[in-house]
């Protein structure tokens, strides 16, 4: 299982390698999510989506963070965007089902 220390190391490594990739933003967002810093996590998922509007993982992960922040309308919107991109993505459907 990946803990905060491993994710922190990975986040630092990818930021040095290529901080302008949506995958990098999602790794950093996941790090903040794991630390319970949900607003900061959302900021990084939004950065990923500025780089690639169709980046499915960023929409789904942002939905999870909005659920943590008790912002249900924003979570639903994020999950719907994910489902629009890939109607077979079970993670987004699961999020909508919550």
């Amino acid at each position: 299982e990946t803990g905060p220390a491993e994710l922190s190391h990975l986040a630092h490594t990818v930021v040095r390698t290529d901080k302008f990739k949506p995958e990098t933003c999602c790794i950093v967002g996941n790090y903040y999510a794991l630390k319970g810093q949900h607003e900061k996590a959302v900021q990084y998922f939004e950065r990923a989506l500025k780089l690639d509007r169709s980046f499915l993982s960023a929409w789904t992960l942002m939905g999870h963070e909005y659920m943590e922040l008790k912002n249900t309308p924003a979570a639903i919107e994020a999950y719907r965007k994910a489902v629009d991109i890939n109607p077979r993505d079970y993670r987004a459907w699961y999020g909508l089902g919550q």
Side-chain angles (χ1 to χ4, degrees):
E1 183 173 309
T2 304
E6 293 85 2
L7 200 49
S8 173
H9 177 72
L10 178 61
H12 285 292
T13 302
V14 296
V15 166
R16 279 196 307 270
T17 307
D18 191 351
K19 65 181 174 184
F20 296 110
K21 288 187 79 157
E23 295 86 354
T24 299
C25 296
C26 281
I27 290 168
V28 176
N30 270 326
Y31 169 73
Y32 284 115
L34 197 61
K35 290 187 60 135
Q37 296 181 27
H38 304 295
E39 293 93 352
K40 197 136 183 157
V42 167
Q43 288 175 351
Y44 278 91
F45 297 136
E46 286 173 343
R47 281 187 194 176
L49 292 165
K50 282 183 183 153
L51 296 166
D52 181 358
R53 295 300 293 169
S54 66
F55 196 60
L56 179 67
S57 295
W59 285 114
T60 304
L61 292 166
M62 194 160 65
H64 296 337
E65 292 311 300
Y66 278 131
M67 290 300 287
E68 291 292 329
L69 292 166
K70 310 283 188 258
N71 186 343
T72 306
I76 290 170
E77 178 68 20
Y79 290 134
R80 283 197 176 134
K81 294 272 192 188
V83 167
D84 287 346
I85 294 165
N86 182 359
R88 293 173 182 230
D89 185 62
Y90 70 90
R91 295 164 300 181
W93 283 111
Y94 174 81
L96 279 171
Q98 291 183 32

